[in-house]
């Protein structure tokens, strides 16, 4: 395996890490819609940390190794349309992902407030926050953007 | 230009969709395994998280495996690996892919059965041991599939 082959493998592994994190957050998005107690909300915290780590490693790895490959691989150039499209989509996805995280952090924040106030039972306001429509929309859009990047990487339009 | 770049450049468009099916299934499979492993690992006896871990394996990882395996066979046929002349061996990365897909599928089934019985026994306050088995098998599968992703993308041979 050449050095570029290793970088390509790491680029693809990063993409898997990114999608794994998105899948994990989808499971959490569905699970949290039925959660109305502070303890159950906070119990998902360690899982969210795994999701953040995999998405972070995935986003960092895909851009770093991807840009390296664009410069290093013969036949491809950083200014190729499909590579530029991927870069733009990556930044759009990063922005949407940040908004998703912001929306879903409201639940744990409210849960901590409720626990501090000694309210441990079911809470309709917490349930409503956990069912955030903004977060759901942002996560759907993030997923669609990542899917568009995968399509772009496979089809390589214009290459 | 190295061999991979040449192959990528000449890959016919008709191979793209089967490749997408294979890659998408594999990504969902890995995502399901990461989700199940983390839920089972952090559950510490919490029934809701144990159930979430098991259902991630059943409703996310398992369908992902099916889609990945269908895509694998589809792209295998499209690339005509099944028509190799006698005396020519398949490349090592393809063997790694097949081994992890098929043996991994069997291990996934075993972990699903163990987890299913474990979740059922939770009603009687039992089943923790079986769900630990499911967690260990999920982690083993995750490691194996990451090696497979490395092999299939880096194509060592």
């Amino acid at each position: 395996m050449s050095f570029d082959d290793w970088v390509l493998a790491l680029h693809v592994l990063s993409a898997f890490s990114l999608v794994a994190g998105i899948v994990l957050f989808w499971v959490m998005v569905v699970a949290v819609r039925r959660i109305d107690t502070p303890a159950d909300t906070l119990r998902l915290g360690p899982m969210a940390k795994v999701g953040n780590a995999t998405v972070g490693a995935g986003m960092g790895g895909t851009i770093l190794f991807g840009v390296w490959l664009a410069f290093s691989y013969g036949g491809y150039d950083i200014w190729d349309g499909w590579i530029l499209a991927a870069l733009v989509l990556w930044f759009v996805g990063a922005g949407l992902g940040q908004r998703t995280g912001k929306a879903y952090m409201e639940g744990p924040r409210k849960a901590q407030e409720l626990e501090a106030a000694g309210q441990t039972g079911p809470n309709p306001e917490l349930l409503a926050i956990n069912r955030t429509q903004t977060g759901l929309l942002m996560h759907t859009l993030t997923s669609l953007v990542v899917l568009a990047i995968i399509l772009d990487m496979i089809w390589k339009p214009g290459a | 230009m190295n061999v991979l770049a040449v192959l990528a450049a000449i890959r016919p468009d008709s191979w793209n969709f089967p490749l997408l099916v294979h890659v998408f299934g594999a990504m969902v499979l890995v995502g399901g395994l990461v989700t199940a492993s983390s839920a089972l690992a952090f559950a510490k006896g919490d029934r809701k998280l144990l159930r979430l871990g098991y259902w991630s394996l059943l409703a996310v990882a398992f369908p992902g495996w099916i889609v990945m395996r269908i895509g694998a066979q589809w792209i295998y046929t499209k690339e005509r690996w099944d028509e190799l002349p006698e005396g020519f061996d398949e490349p090592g990365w393809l063997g790694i892919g097949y081994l992890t897909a098929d043996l991994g599928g069997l291990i996934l089934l075993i972990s699903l059965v163990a987890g299913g019985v474990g979740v059922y026994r939770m009603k009687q306050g039992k089943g923790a041991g079986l769900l630990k088995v499911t967690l260990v098998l999920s982690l083993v599968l995750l490691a194996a599939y990451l090696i497979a992703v490395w092999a299939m993308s880096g194509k060592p041979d």
Side-chain angles (χ1 to χ4, degrees):
Chain A
M1 268 174 83
S2 69
F3 184 71
D4 277 352
D5 291 338
W6 273 99
V7 177
L8 176 65
L10 289 170
H11 178 62
V12 175
L13 279 167
S14 302
F16 269 75
S17 177
L18 172 60
V19 176
I22 289 174
V23 168
L24 182 144
F25 281 125
W26 266 118
V27 171
M28 286 184 67
V29 162
V30 173
V32 86
R33 291 183 72 81
R34 293 172 64 184
I35 292 177
D36 60 358
T37 64
D40 284 346
T41 304
L42 294 172
R43 201 163 283 139
L44 292 175
M47 270 186 80
K49 281 182 185 166
V50 173
N52 285 332
T54 52
V55 167
M59 289 296 279
T62 48
I63 193 87
L64 188 72
F65 300 124
V67 168
W68 175 278
L69 288 169
F71 282 110
S72 177
Y73 245 57
Y76 298 146
D77 193 83
I78 192 79
W79 303 115
D80 286 351
W82 66 277
I83 294 178
L84 279 179
L87 287 170
V88 169
L89 287 169
W90 186 95
F91 281 106
V92 171
L96 290 168
Q98 273 185 340
R99 283 166 186 248
T100 308
K102 201 176 168 190
Y104 278 104
M105 276 310 293
E106 292 299 319
R109 199 168 293 133
K110 181 70 186 173
Q112 278 176 335
E113 276 178 27
L114 289 168
E115 272 205 341
Q119 296 177 39
T120 55
N123 184 287
E125 197 186 342
L126 178 61
L127 181 66
I129 293 171
N130 280 338
R131 289 181 174 180
T132 167
Q133 289 303 306
T134 309
L136 180 63
L137 176 67
M138 289 299 132
H139 195 52
T140 305
L141 290 175
T142 306
S143 307
L144 290 174
V145 166
V146 170
L147 180 63
I149 296 175
I150 295 168
L151 292 173
D152 182 55
M153 290 283 130
I154 291 178
W155 264 266
K156 296 181 177 58
Chain B
M1 188 187 280
N2 71 19
V3 175
L4 246 176
V6 173
L7 282 174
I10 61 168
R11 188 175 68 216
D13 280 350
S14 63
W15 293 8
N16 287 340
F17 188 67
L19 181 63
L20 173 70
V21 171
H22 178 52
V23 171
F24 183 76
M27 284 177 156
V28 172
L29 166 64
V30 169
L33 286 170
V34 169
T35 310
S37 304
S38 11
L40 292 170
F42 293 120
K44 292 175 185 167
D46 180 74
R47 286 183 182 189
K48 286 177 187 170
L49 266 187
L50 287 171
R51 246 185 238 120
L52 183 67
Y54 176 72
W55 279 99
S56 303
L57 207 59
L58 183 66
V60 182
F62 187 54
W65 182 88
I66 293 170
V67 173
M68 178 276 293
R69 192 63 186 81
I70 290 169
Q73 202 59 43
W74 193 0
I75 192 75
Y76 181 85
T77 312
K78 280 269 179 193
E79 292 184 7
R80 297 189 169 181
W81 288 109
D82 53 341
E83 294 174 19
L84 272 183
E86 268 188 44
F88 285 85
D89 291 329
E90 285 180 352
W93 57 268
L94 204 54
I96 294 173
Y98 256 105
L99 185 73
T100 48
D102 292 352
L103 189 61
L106 183 66
I107 295 172
L108 182 60
L109 272 179
I110 294 168
S111 68
L112 281 171
V113 171
V117 176
V119 166
Y120 179 76
R121 285 192 182 169
M122 273 197 318
K123 291 169 194 165
Q124 295 114 40
K126 299 173 186 172
L130 284 169
L131 285 160
K132 269 184 194 158
V133 170
T134 304
L135 168 62
V136 171
L137 291 177
S138 300
L139 289 170
V140 168
L141 281 175
L142 188 56
Y145 284 127
L146 290 180
I147 291 169
V149 172
W150 163 79
M152 306 224 83
S153 51
K155 295 183 171 44
D157 225 349

